[in-house]
Amino acid sequence: MTMTDWPRTAAEPTPETASPAAVSGTSTPVSQTPGTVSETAESVSETESGTGTKQSEGRLTGTQKLTASAIVVAALALAGIGLYLSFEHVAQFAHEELRFGSLGKGQLFAVGVDVGIMVMIAVDLLMAWLKRPISWIRYPVWLLTAATVVLNAASGAPEGAWKLLDYVAAGAHGVVPVLFITVVELGRTAIDRVVRPEQEERDSIPWLRWILAPIATARIFRRMRLWGVTSYPEMIRRDQELIAYEQWLKRKYEGDISQASEDELLPMKMAPYGYTVAQALAMPDEQEQAAQEREEEAERRRLDAETRSEVAKAESEAARLRAKGKVELVQAEVDGQTGQARAHARAQVSAAERAAALEQEALDNAVIAEARAREAEAEHKEATEREAKAEADLRAAELERQAAEKRKEAAEADRVAAAEAQAIETQTIAEARKAAAEADKAAAETEQAAAETRRATAETDRKKAEEERRKAIALADIARAQKEAIEAEKAAAETRRAVAEIERAAVEAEDAARLKPRERAVRKVARMALAAGLVPDGKDLADVQRELSELVSLADVQGGLSISSPGTASEYRQEAAELLVGGYRPGQ
C-alpha cells in the first residue's frame, strides 16, 4: 500500500466485512452510510439498551390484551394514588405559603394542576393512538409534574436546618409523580410502536458512555439529532472514519495537513454538516458529473429548441402552402360556380328568346285556329240551315203522307159506294170504277211510299246535319282549347322570360357582391321557390319551410344546383327559407 492509497482501516466497512464494534462495547453496527444528510439509515441494530426496531407482526393475542388491560388499570391506580397523596399537601401549602385566600382556593389550585396534567396526558396518548402525535405536549406535562414534585417537597420541608432524613422525606414526595410520568411515557412509546410499526426507532446511547466520556457523548448526541442519524453504531462508525482519514492525511504529508489539497480536506470541512468521509470525497466527482449533466441537459434543450424551431418553421411553411392551396381551390371553385351561373343565365336568356319565338309561332297558330273556328262556325250555321230544311221536308212529307191517307180513305169510300151502287150500275161501269179504284189505290200506295222515302231522307239529312253540327261544335271547342293552350304557353313564356330576366339580374348582382358559392346556391333555391309560387310575406319560418318543401323538392334542388348530396340540398333549402323570411326578394 502506498501513501496515496486510501487506508483500509476498521473505519471503512464493506459489504463483505463488518465494521468494527463501537467504543463502549456496542453491538454490530449497520453497514453503509445513508445517501444524504437528511436520510436515515435503512436498517438499524439493537443496542445494549434493549430497544430494538423489529416489530411484532399480527394483532394482540388474548393473553396480551389481558396483560395490557392490567397495565392500564395499574397505571390508573398509580395516578389515583399520586393525586391522593399530593392533593392535600399541595392545597395546604398553596393556602398557607402561596397566599391563596382560603383553603378551598388552594384545593382548586391543586385540582387544576392535577386535572391539567391528566388532560394533557390523555390528549398525548389519544393523538399517539391516532398516528398524529404532538411532540411538544409532553414538555408542559413534565413541567407541571416537576412543579407538583417541588410543591410536595416544599410542603414537607423542615422549619430549621436540614437533616439527612429531611432530604429523604422531601424526595419521597416526588417519587409517585415521577413514577407516574415514567409509566405515561412508557405507555405513549408503546402505543406509538403499535400504531406505527414502520416508524424507525432511534438508538439510545449507553449510559456507561455518558459516565465515561460525557463531553464526547454529548457531541455525538447533538450530531445524531442534527443530522437525523438514528443508529448509534452508525454515528460511531462515522467518527472512526473521520479520525482514520485524518491520521492517513498526517502520514501522507508527514504531519502537515495544510499541504493537502482542497479536495482532500473536504471530509474535515463537511463533517460539521453531516457528510461522511466517502460522501465528502465523492462530492467533487459528483459535482463535476452534475455540472456535466447540466451542460448536457442545456445542450439537449438547445438542440430541442432548434429542432422545435425548425419543425415550427416547416409546419408554418406547410400550413402556408396548404392555405394557399385552399385559397386557389376556393378561387377555382368560385370561378367555376360563377362561370356555371353565367352559363346558366345565358341558357335561360336563350330559352327566353326561344320562348318568345315559340310565342310568336303560337300567335300565328292562334290566328289560324281562329280562322278555322270561324270556318267551323260557318259550317255549323250551314248545317243548322240544312237541318231546318230537313225538318221542313220532313213536315211536308208528313203532310203528303196524311193526304195520301185521306185519299186512301176516300178511295175506300168510293169502293164502298161502288159496291153499294153495283146493283144499279152496269157491269162495265163497275169494272171501270173498280179499275179506277185500283189505280187510285196503287197511286195512293205509291204516294205513301214516296212520302215514307222522303221522310226517311229528311231524317237522314237531319241526323247528318246534327252530326255536322256536333262536329262543328267539337272543332270550335278544339280551336278554343288550342287558343287557351296558346294563351297559357304565351303566359308561361312571359313568366319564363321574366324569371330569366330576374335570374340574370340576380346573377349580375351576386357577381357584383362577390358572394360565395354557397350563398349563390341558397339564393338560387330561394328564387326557385318564388318562381314556383311561394309567397313568404307575413308568414313565419315554419310555414315558409313547409310550403318550400312542398313546392321545391330535394330532387329539384339537386338538379338545379348540380349536386348529388340530399343532405346538402336539404341544408340549402332550409337556408333559403330563412333567407326568404329575412326579406330576400330578387331585384330588390
Side-chain angles (χ1 to χ4, degrees):
M1 181 182 71
T2 62
M3 293 301 294
T4 58
D5 294 334
W6 168 249
R8 297 185 180 274
T9 63
E12 181 187 27
T14 61
E16 293 79 9
T17 61
S19 59
V23 181
S24 335
T26 57
S27 60
T28 305
V30 296
S31 61
Q32 300 300 330
T33 60
T36 59
V37 177
S38 60
E39 293 178 355
T40 59
E42 294 182 358
S43 63
V44 294
S45 63
E46 297 182 0
T47 63
E48 290 181 349
S49 64
T51 60
T53 58
K54 184 177 181 181
Q55 307 296 333
S56 60
E57 299 179 355
R59 297 184 178 181
L60 296 177
T61 62
T63 304
Q64 291 171 342
K65 291 181 180 178
L66 184 61
T67 303
S69 301
I71 293 173
V72 171
V73 172
L76 293 177
L78 181 63
I81 292 172
L83 293 176
Y84 176 75
L85 291 176
S86 66
F87 174 74
E88 187 67 27
H89 297 90
V90 173
Q92 188 69 27
F93 184 78
H95 169 56
E96 295 177 357
E97 302 297 334
L98 300 181
R99 296 182 180 86
F100 281 86
S102 62
L103 181 60
K105 292 181 180 179
Q107 292 174 346
L108 288 177
F109 168 72
V111 171
V113 173
D114 292 338
V115 171
I117 293 174
M118 297 303 294
V119 168
M120 286 187 287
I121 288 173
V123 172
D124 189 19
L125 295 178
L126 177 62
M127 296 307 294
W129 195 1
L130 297 177
K131 301 182 182 181
R132 302 294 298 275
I134 302 175
S135 60
W136 59 266
I137 199 172
R138 61 178 63 181
Y139 304 116
V141 173
W142 293 349
L143 180 62
L144 290 176
T145 303
T148 303
V149 172
V150 170
L151 291 176
N152 276 277
S155 65
E159 295 292 338
W162 283 65
K163 298 179 181 180
L164 179 60
L165 188 60
D166 295 332
Y167 289 103
V168 175
H173 284 79
V175 171
V176 176
V178 171
L179 180 60
F180 176 70
I181 291 300
T182 303
V183 172
V184 169
E185 287 296 320
L186 182 60
R188 183 184 186 280
T189 304
I191 291 175
D192 192 49
R193 290 186 178 183
V194 170
V195 299
R196 294 195 297 172
E198 74 282 356
Q199 181 77 11
E200 196 169 88
E201 297 295 333
R202 187 185 303 275
D203 289 348
S204 62
I205 300 177
W207 289 104
L208 184 59
R209 182 181 176 88
W210 285 100
I211 297 173
L212 297 177
I215 298 176
T217 305
R219 285 198 295 266
I220 291 176
F221 179 80
R222 176 178 177 274
R223 289 199 297 271
M224 287 178 66
R225 292 297 186 272
L226 289 177
W227 303 343
V229 180
T230 60
S231 174
Y232 168 68
E234 169 68 17
M235 196 68 244
I236 295 300
R237 188 183 63 80
R238 291 191 181 191
D239 281 350
Q240 290 176 345
E241 283 185 354
L242 185 60
I243 294 171
Y245 182 76
E246 187 175 0
Q247 294 300 320
W248 174 74
L249 284 181
K250 288 180 179 180
R251 290 197 309 269
K252 180 179 179 180
Y253 294 105
E254 298 178 355
D256 188 5
I257 302 180
S258 61
Q259 295 180 8
S261 63
E262 292 291 333
D263 292 345
E264 291 176 333
L265 294 176
L266 277 176
M268 277 73 75
K269 292 181 180 179
M270 301 305 296
Y273 303 101
Y275 281 81
T276 64
V277 174
Q279 290 173 347
L281 291 176
M283 186 182 299
D285 294 336
E286 293 177 354
Q287 291 177 344
E288 290 178 1
Q289 183 179 359
Q292 184 178 0
E293 290 177 355
R294 287 194 297 271
E295 292 177 358
E296 292 175 355
E297 181 66 18
E299 182 67 18
R300 186 184 62 81
R301 286 197 298 268
R302 186 183 65 80
L303 294 177
D304 289 344
E306 292 179 357
T307 303
R308 287 194 298 271
S309 176
E310 293 177 359
V311 170
K313 290 180 180 179
E315 290 179 351
S316 176
E317 182 66 19
R320 187 184 66 81
L321 293 175
R322 284 195 296 269
K324 183 178 179 181
K326 289 182 179 179
V327 170
E328 293 177 355
L329 179 62
V330 170
Q331 185 65 37
E333 184 178 355
V334 169
D335 293 340
Q337 292 285 345
T338 304
Q340 183 180 1
R342 288 176 178 173
H344 186 65
R346 286 194 297 270
Q348 289 182 342
V349 172
S350 300
E353 293 176 353
R354 289 196 300 272
L358 292 174
E359 179 185 359
Q360 185 64 34
E361 184 178 354
L363 291 176
D364 296 339
N365 292 333
V367 173
I368 296 172
E370 188 175 359
R372 289 179 179 175
R374 286 196 296 270
E375 183 179 355
E377 186 68 23
E379 291 179 355
H380 173 66
K381 183 176 180 182
E382 183 179 357
T384 303
E385 292 177 353
R386 284 199 301 270
E387 184 180 359
K389 183 178 180 181
E391 288 288 339
D393 292 340
L394 184 59
R395 284 195 296 272
E398 184 66 25
L399 292 176
E400 289 181 358
R401 187 184 65 79
Q402 292 176 359
E405 287 290 336
K406 290 180 178 180
R407 284 195 297 270
K408 183 178 179 182
E409 291 176 358
E412 186 65 26
D414 290 341
R415 187 181 64 80
V416 172
E420 291 176 353
Q422 185 177 4
I424 58 176
E425 291 180 353
T426 62
Q427 185 67 28
T428 305
I429 295 171
E431 291 178 359
R433 287 181 177 175
K434 182 179 180 180
E438 290 291 336
D440 289 337
K441 181 180 179 181
E445 290 177 356
T446 301
E447 186 67 24
Q448 184 179 1
E452 287 293 335
T453 301
R454 286 195 298 271
R455 189 178 66 81
T457 303
E459 183 67 22
T460 303
D461 291 340
R462 186 183 67 79
K463 290 181 179 180
K464 183 177 180 181
E466 182 69 21
E467 184 67 23
E468 291 179 354
R469 184 176 65 82
R470 284 196 299 268
K471 188 183 296 185
I473 292 173
L475 290 174
D477 292 338
I478 292 172
R480 186 166 56 255
Q482 290 177 350
K483 183 177 181 180
E484 292 175 355
I486 292 171
E487 291 293 335
E489 183 66 24
K490 180 180 178 181
E494 289 290 338
T495 303
R496 287 194 297 270
R497 185 172 62 183
V499 169
E501 289 294 330
I502 293 173
E503 186 72 19
R504 183 178 59 79
V507 170
E508 292 177 356
E510 291 172 357
D511 291 340
R514 301 182 67 84
L515 296 180
K516 298 179 180 179
R518 186 180 184 88
E519 294 176 344
R520 293 173 179 270
V522 171
R523 280 165 171 72
K524 186 172 182 179
V525 174
R527 292 194 295 272
M528 292 170 63
L530 293 174
L534 177 62
V535 181
D537 296 335
K539 298 178 181 177
D540 57 6
L541 180 59
D543 294 338
V544 173
Q545 288 179 344
R546 185 178 62 257
E547 293 185 10
L548 180 58
S549 61
E550 293 175 356
L551 295 174
V552 181
S553 63
L554 293 179
D556 296 336
V557 176
Q558 290 177 264
L561 299 179
S562 299
I563 58 177
S564 59
S565 174
T568 305
S570 178
E571 293 176 0
Y572 285 169
R573 191 169 64 182
Q574 183 176 0
E575 294 178 8
E578 296 174 356
L579 188 64
L580 291 172
V581 172
Y584 172 73
R585 300 295 182 273
Q588 295 182 1

